[in-house]
Amino acid sequence: MDKKQVILRSWMFVPGDRGRMIEKAFGLPVDAVMMDLEDGVAASEKDTARRQIAASLDQVAARLKEDVSIHTPSRYVRINAVGHERMREDLALVVRPGLEGLVVPKVETPEQVKTVERILDIREPELKMPANSVRMLVAIESPKGLFNAYSIASASPRVIGLIFGAEDFCRELSLPLRREGEARDLIYARSALVTAAAAAHVQAIDGVWVDLKDPEGLATFSRQSRRLGFSGMSLIHPSQIDAVNAAFTPTADEIDYARRVLKAFEDAKERGQGAVAFGGQLLDYPIVDRARQTVELAESLGA
């Protein structure tokens, strides 16, 4: 992952046709809001959702024009699948000042990313938006998409991450309807996605925990996501935000340990020592670099 990239830990889906929910979401401590035009909106409400999202983005853009210090979560829109006639209708209306990125669903080939890229390359100058200002979070939701994940993540500099579409992926594999435990049946797919994202230097965002009545399951699942290498996770309800943010934020103990590792390494360098022992562990450059990444991540998140 690009170290200069801002890490977004929590990504919340909000139905695009629910204006009051969008307005409320902009004031929540979630890192990114994904205003939905795809699965979360009925076919009969797609036009309403496009208009509502456009109006919400216009309101934010107007506020930012008056006061650049105003903060909202990152503003993304999940469009309909590439190749679907609704996709072009989505892009014609929601690509506008105030938009920060698109969530592109059900991607299976790099060419699908390039299709969206070409449309954005035309739309941004037409709307006097900065070039390459609209980013892409690409959803991998099928075995074919997973096998092509690295090529997909590398298809455009606009791609900032891959997000795992667990429910569609489970359908493709004919997995049981009810998810059990820490979704052990999806460990391979999730790890493969993380590896592809890391190779392409983009973020990896895990799928949602759908059971709102199981906060312990959410906490366990999100901790496992972090251990697998995900940098964030998607969610469906404000009650899940704190648990997700906590799971992907270094703890006080982790930060303290990382700082002590860095100090031990710097002290050893000053003494001219090549090998450094700390806490019974030999410190080599990969360990020191991970400690440095931990401290930098904590500082960027204000932890």
Side-chain angles (χ1 to χ4, degrees):
M1 191 188 327
D2 184 348
K3 295 179 184 177
K4 296 181 180 179
Q5 181 178 309
V6 176
I7 301 298
L8 301 175
R9 303 158 296 176
S10 49
W11 296 71
M12 189 171 73
F13 287 104
V14 180
D17 57 338
R18 304 293 181 87
R20 296 182 71 175
M21 290 179 67
I22 294 174
E23 183 179 357
K24 179 180 178 182
F26 284 168
L28 294 174
V30 68
D31 287 352
V33 171
M34 298 180 285
M35 295 167 275
D36 198 9
L37 285 171
E38 199 214 11
D39 290 347
V41 177
S44 60
E45 298 300 317
K46 300 284 188 183
D47 288 338
T48 299
R50 291 187 193 101
R51 290 193 296 270
Q52 179 58 65
I53 290 173
S56 297
L57 291 172
D58 286 348
Q59 291 171 7
V60 171
R63 288 165 54 201
L64 289 172
K65 192 173 182 179
E66 293 179 359
D67 184 358
V68 295
S69 66
I70 291 174
H71 173 75
T72 74
S74 291
R75 301 171 298 278
Y76 279 66
V77 174
R78 180 166 72 166
I79 59 175
N80 285 278
V82 179
H84 196 291
E85 61 183 18
R86 292 191 183 118
M87 180 208 73
R88 293 188 179 274
E89 296 172 0
D90 294 344
L91 295 178
L93 203 55
V94 305
V95 177
R96 59 204 306 120
L99 179 71
E100 293 182 73
L102 300 170
V103 181
V104 187
K106 299 176 175 62
V107 174
E108 295 188 322
T109 67
E111 183 56 35
Q112 289 172 298
V113 173
K114 292 182 181 299
T115 295
V116 178
E117 180 183 49
R118 286 191 289 269
I119 296 172
L120 292 174
D121 286 346
I122 294 171
R123 291 285 291 161
E124 284 174 340
E126 288 178 346
L127 297 165
K128 296 182 172 56
M129 297 172 65
N132 298 312
S133 60
V134 179
R135 317 300 282 175
M136 282 190 260
L137 179 67
V138 179
I140 302 298
E141 307 184 56
S142 70
K144 182 177 179 180
L146 185 63
F147 276 111
N148 290 329
Y150 172 71
S151 297
I152 289 168
S154 306
S156 168
R158 292 181 184 269
V159 176
I160 57 97
L162 301 177
I163 181 171
F164 185 53
E167 304 311 316
D168 281 86
F169 199 92
C170 287
R171 180 184 62 190
E172 292 271 350
L173 268 60
S174 299
L175 295 181
L177 182 60
R178 290 184 177 178
R179 191 182 303 176
E180 297 180 1
E182 292 186 346
R184 288 184 290 272
D185 44 2
L186 293 174
I187 290 241
Y188 166 75
R190 292 159 67 207
S191 293
L193 184 140
V194 166
T195 303
H201 304 291
V202 300
Q203 287 191 239
I205 308 302
D206 207 355
V208 300
W209 179 259
V210 296
D211 190 349
L212 297 178
K213 297 180 180 179
D214 184 11
E216 291 185 6
L218 167 66
T220 300
F221 180 76
S222 57
R223 286 195 299 268
Q224 184 203 54
S225 293
R226 186 184 178 197
R227 292 198 302 270
L228 289 175
F230 285 97
S231 56
M233 181 176 157
S234 55
L235 52 115
I236 55 175
H237 193 272
S239 65
Q240 298 178 317
I241 295 172
D242 288 345
V244 171
N245 282 344
F248 294 95
T249 301
T251 65
D253 285 344
E254 289 172 326
I255 297 167
D256 177 67
Y257 183 78
R259 285 177 173 154
R260 287 190 288 121
V261 165
L262 293 176
K263 186 176 188 309
F265 186 75
E266 291 301 320
D267 289 348
K269 280 177 58 179
E270 290 180 3
R271 294 192 298 267
Q273 296 176 346
V276 184
F278 176 77
Q281 181 180 19
L282 184 65
L283 299 182
D284 57 9
Y285 281 99
I287 293 174
V288 173
D289 196 43
R290 282 161 54 198
R292 187 171 292 110
Q293 290 174 9
T294 297
V295 172
E296 290 174 351
L297 174 60
E299 290 176 349
S300 72
L301 297 173

